[in-house]
Amino acid sequence: MSNDNARQHPLLLTWDPSPGADHIEVQIHPRRRGGSEPPLSPPSPGRRHSPPLNPTTTDERDHNFSLFKRWFPWLVPSFVVANIAIFIITMYINDCPKHSFPPSSCFASFFGRFSFQPLKENPLFGPSSATLGKMGALEVDKVVDKHQAWRLLSCIWLHGGVVHLLANMLSLVFIGIRLEQEFGFVRIGFLYLISGFGGSLLSALFIQSGISVGASGALFGLLGGMLSELLINWTIYANKFAALLTLIVIVVINLAVGILPHMDNFAHIGGFISGFLLGFVFLIRPQFKWVSQRNSRPVYAEHLVKYKHKPYQYVLWVISFILLLAGLITGLVLLLRGVNLNDHCSWCHYLSCVPTSKWSCKAEQLYCETTQMGNQLNITCLSNGISELFPLSDTGSSKAQRLCYGLCST
């Protein structure tokens, strides 16, 4: 199986939700399918504001503004370190010189067993599809037939190459650290993992060939959480309309990039929807006045705020929790029963790739014929007729697959 057929999850964004930011800044960074692309960078919704119960001085307003706790970010950096460590382990197991013929075909062969697959096979400077499969990449047939549902989570820790890894990790740092500072490691950790699971689940329901790796579904979940956090905590933000408009534009651009070939836009959409619903559940803020009165001198009874949250916040919390739980359970049941949602939606495949005169959305199929000749195996690529002899004792099924790809790519 070619790594070109490995699906990936793409472009990511970042915004600055830090206090005191009176401007909106948009940064664009490049993004999973053997390719890499992080989202763009979301805007800061501006300084949180709320008139104090007895507004008097600027100092008092600043005091009210600082009532929300700030957290020290350690989980997101830990995620980055874990992703890098897993990629190094994957390259060690890949051992291109041992599993490729000839060994000199490996790119950057001076790295030894850490050298990359030939660029024709994997242009992202990474391992083979077979190695990613052994490490836990999302393969729908193994999830359905061999009940390996754990691959829905393990795939978000794997990357197709150095380019893919760097793009996603930079996006995770820009987005994740600011969110962890605002909401803490528990909520952001669950938001990241559940969004990644949701992205993998929707991807597996629509794209059931090839393999899938990458953290882009989880990263789009963080982006969706930013949007819902702005909506559910609407009353405590300044510059909210400008922030909302900018964030929506960024989301649309990133999802639009996903319709290019070799992108798994279903993972982006699934991660974004999961994160959007989770934001209403995990990122809800109490009313500013409620927080202020708990941390300031006693006030008159008529100024007291009785409820921690506004009524619309409770409504959004309940609706989002029900929709999220129902969606994840239903999707998992359908997947384990082997359902392909393309059979029930004839146009949905256009959400992940739109064919044009410049590219095709059909994955290239490579076929080889093998013939045993004594202690050697003759492999012939049926598309171009090129054949080679290889030692039979050193040609397992996964290596034969890689050799077939190499012959057909010549």
Side-chain angles (χ1 to χ4, degrees), residues 20 24 29 42 49 62 76 85 97-98 113 123 239 283 322 354 360 382:
I24 297 173
H29 305 277
H49 72 103
D62 289 340
V76 169
K98 180 179 179 181
R113 69 181 300 150
N239 300 329
L283 308 184
I322 293 174
V354 176
S360 171
L382 298 181

Side-chain angles (χ1 to χ4, degrees), residues 189-311:
F190 277 113
L191 176 61
Y192 182 86
L193 294 175
I194 298 175
S195 296
F197 177 84
S200 298
L201 184 58
L202 190 65
S203 172
L205 285 169
F206 280 100
I207 305 179
Q208 303 196 341
S209 62
I211 67 172
S212 177
V213 294
S216 297
L219 292 169
F220 267 78
L222 295 181
L223 180 59
M226 289 180 180
L227 181 58
S228 55
E229 189 271 332
L230 174 60
L231 295 175
I232 198 169
N233 301 320
W234 185 256
T235 59
I236 68 173
Y237 282 118
N239 300 329
K240 43 199 167 192
F241 286 105
L244 178 62
L245 179 60
T246 307
L247 190 54
I248 290 176
V249 170
I250 291 173
V251 171
V252 171
I253 292 175
N254 279 272
L255 291 178
V257 171
I259 66 174
L260 295 174
H262 309 298
M263 301 267 189
D264 183 2
N265 213 27
F266 288 113
H268 306 161
I269 295 171
F272 178 81
I273 293 174
S274 299
F276 182 73
L277 295 175
L278 283 166
F280 290 121
V281 176
F282 288 150
L283 308 184
I284 186 173
R285 292 278 200 189
Q287 297 187 63
F288 229 120
K289 290 183 179 180
W290 185 88
V291 177
S292 298
Q293 72 186 21
R294 287 173 58 89
N295 293 274
S296 60
R297 61 182 182 273
V299 297
Y300 295 109
E302 60 266 23
H303 294 295
L304 289 176
V305 177
K306 296 181 179 180
Y307 300 104
K308 184 175 182 179
H309 301 288
K310 292 181 177 294

Side-chain angles (χ1 to χ4, degrees), residues 91 94-122 125-126 402:
M91 293 304 302
N94 186 66
D95 194 0
C96 181
K98 180 179 179 181
H99 298 106
S100 297
F101 187 87
S104 59
S105 65
C106 299
F107 182 75
S109 56
F110 52 83
F111 284 135
R113 69 181 300 150
F114 291 96
S115 57
F116 309 119
Q117 292 299 118
L119 296 184
K120 288 184 178 180
E121 180 181 346
N122 185 348
F125 310 109
R402 290 195 293 269

Side-chain angles (χ1 to χ4, degrees), residues 371-378 389-393:
T371 306
Q372 184 175 343
M373 303 176 65
N375 62 349
Q376 293 184 312
L377 187 69
N378 181 67
L389 286 173
F390 303 96
L392 181 62
S393 59

Side-chain angles (χ1 to χ4, degrees), residues 308-358:
K308 184 175 182 179
H309 301 288
K310 292 181 177 294
Y312 80 89
Q313 291 179 302
Y314 289 113
V315 172
L316 288 174
W317 191 99
V318 172
I319 293 175
S320 299
F321 180 79
I322 293 174
L323 289 176
L324 178 69
L325 191 62
L328 292 179
I329 293 175
T330 302
L332 188 58
V333 170
L334 292 175
L335 176 61
L336 295 180
R337 289 184 176 180
V339 174
N340 186 339
L341 289 187
N342 287 300
D343 297 335
H344 305 278
C345 180
S346 59
W347 56 269
C348 286
H349 62 280
Y350 291 117
L351 293 175
S352 187
C353 183
V354 176
T356 70
S357 59
K358 301 295 183 181

